[in-house]
Amino acid sequence: MATNTTDEANRGEDDNGDGPAEKTTGAGVTRRRTLQMGGLVGAGGLLGAAGLGTDTATADCSHPDSIVHLDYDDYDSWDDVYRMSNGDPDNLTLVSSPTASGESALQLRIREDAHWGLSTHYDFDDGLFELNGRVNFALNSNWAMSGRDAPTNCRLWNCAIARGEGSAGGGRPDGTNGWSNRMYVSTKDTDPEGPFHLLSNTYHMGDGDEGIGDHDYLVDGEKYALGSPEIEPGVWYEFEYYVRVNTITNGEANHDGVVRYWLDDDLVFERKDIPFTEDLDDNIIDTTGPVGHYGGRYTAPKNLYAYYDDHSMALNGELEFEYGGC
């Protein structure tokens, strides 16, 4: 499933000048590149005549309100694109190598003996009912997750978050106070030196009064895994994700929220039973973006670097990729 290999000479070992070169550009106005899809109906039309407020599920394929492509070549700094909520802003930089395409990529660092690189967000002012995104990512070629017998996990991408105390950190989603889905790399059923497996972590309402955080590993034998892809350090991969909130009947959440992952050309994960929310006005998809967070009560054994390039999104609909979306 590998696409292309990153440059070994540019893998960061430490902070003494041996890491990848930081991109420098002249001063100038930066902008988000948004391709508006003219002539499309609004969110209500996308969801059918019944809409999300009924027990009728949303359509399996819908055309987006708009498509956003974030070309990192167009920016002087990462914070022209994303907002930070946690971590150290110095841990994210635009670099000229390695890249998946073009002249610039994002480099995210997690320091040795630390948890946080940082958590970033591309915010949606009005919230979304569904989000389909795609990004290229790579781990530096000496990435390792040693020092622990149990599975070791590192968060790499905030797929979809409804902001609130229920979205992470041991929070308990109650249908109104936030929820989330995030992608990790993991040592589950593999070697601490790699290749690594993927993990989908979802904070949702659960079956009772208290919300839960589900760890769904993408390995053979797991309920929702449609494959057991291996992530090799030093290799670029194309990750696609799709998240759609659940419908509501008589004020209660139906168990029909959707999360799907593709890696390169393959559908590798699918859940269609998630109760995210009971509030379709204020507890829907607020944000997405790159993140680096290592472990829970354990920390990174060395400086680690993840890379991102070519982030695209379909808002309230699906990207028309040849293997995903419509």
Side-chain angles (χ1 to χ4, degrees), residues 102-307:
E103 298 178 353
S104 299
L106 285 175
Q107 173 192 272
L108 193 155
R109 175 183 59 196
I110 303 172
R111 293 181 186 270
E112 182 178 359
D113 296 327
H115 295 293
W116 278 110
L118 80 169
S119 183
T120 76
H121 306 273
Y122 187 99
D123 292 321
F124 308 108
D125 292 339
D126 297 326
L128 305 175
F129 296 116
E130 57 183 325
L131 173 65
N132 190 184
R134 181 177 64 180
V135 66
N136 290 310
F137 78 93
L139 309 177
N140 63 294
S141 59
N142 66 335
W143 183 286
M145 300 170 70
S146 57
R148 192 168 185 260
D149 293 333
T152 301
N153 304 319
C154 183
R155 189 187 312 167
L156 291 185
W157 196 262
N158 295 322
C159 298
I161 299 174
R163 290 189 295 267
E165 64 182 10
S167 66
R172 295 178 174 178
D174 63 10
T176 65
N177 67 341
W179 54 266
S180 62
N181 177 264
R182 297 174 168 95
M183 182 271 281
Y184 291 65
V185 288
S186 174
T187 62
K188 172 74 171 178
D189 292 350
T190 188
D191 191 276
E193 303 297 323
F196 303 100
H197 286 143
L198 295 179
L199 161 66
S200 178
N201 176 248
T202 308
Y203 277 70
H204 62 85
M205 294 173 60
D207 294 320
D209 296 330
E210 296 183 349
I212 58 177
D214 280 343
H215 279 59
D216 294 316
Y217 291 96
L218 277 65
V219 298
D220 291 336
E222 293 290 329
K223 182 176 181 180
Y224 303 104
L226 301 179
S228 188
E230 295 185 340
I231 305 301
E232 296 276 1
V235 176
W236 283 102
Y237 296 90
E238 187 175 77
F239 173 64
E240 182 187 346
Y241 56 101
Y242 174 76
V243 180
R244 187 176 71 211
V245 300
N246 56 274
T247 63
I248 293 177
T249 301
N250 297 326
E252 295 186 0
N254 295 314
H255 289 235
D256 59 6
V258 176
V259 175
R260 296 188 181 104
Y261 293 170
W262 294 259
L263 194 69
D264 293 340
D265 292 356
D266 297 325
L267 180 65
V268 293
F269 177 80
E270 182 176 52
R271 284 195 67 170
K272 299 188 289 184
D273 62 352
I274 305 174
F276 287 118
T277 181
E278 290 184 345
D279 182 352
L280 295 176
D281 292 322
D282 297 318
N283 196 45
I284 52 178
I285 301 170
D286 292 320
T287 182
T288 188
V291 58
H293 184 267
Y294 194 94
R297 298 180 179 179
Y298 49 95
T299 59
K302 62 197 299 186
N303 282 358
L304 300 174
Y305 296 83
Y307 296 89

Side-chain angles (χ1 to χ4, degrees), residues 59-64 130 132 242 260 314 316-320 325-326:
D60 285 338
C61 181
S62 55
H63 296 289
E130 57 183 325
N132 190 184
Y242 174 76
R260 296 188 181 104
N316 277 327
E318 298 177 67
L319 291 160
E320 295 183 0
C326 297

Side-chain angles (χ1 to χ4, degrees), residues 39-89:
L40 297 182
V41 298
L46 287 173
L47 301 171
L52 271 176
T54 76
D55 57 5
T56 302
T58 57
D60 285 338
C61 181
S62 55
H63 296 289
D65 291 346
S66 61
I67 292 177
V68 177
H69 177 60
L70 302 176
D71 186 344
Y72 299 144
D73 295 355
D74 289 344
Y75 303 101
D76 295 325
S77 174
W78 69 263
D79 55 9
D80 292 324
V81 190
Y82 302 107
R83 170 182 62 85
M84 186 191 84
S85 61
N86 299 90
D88 182 348

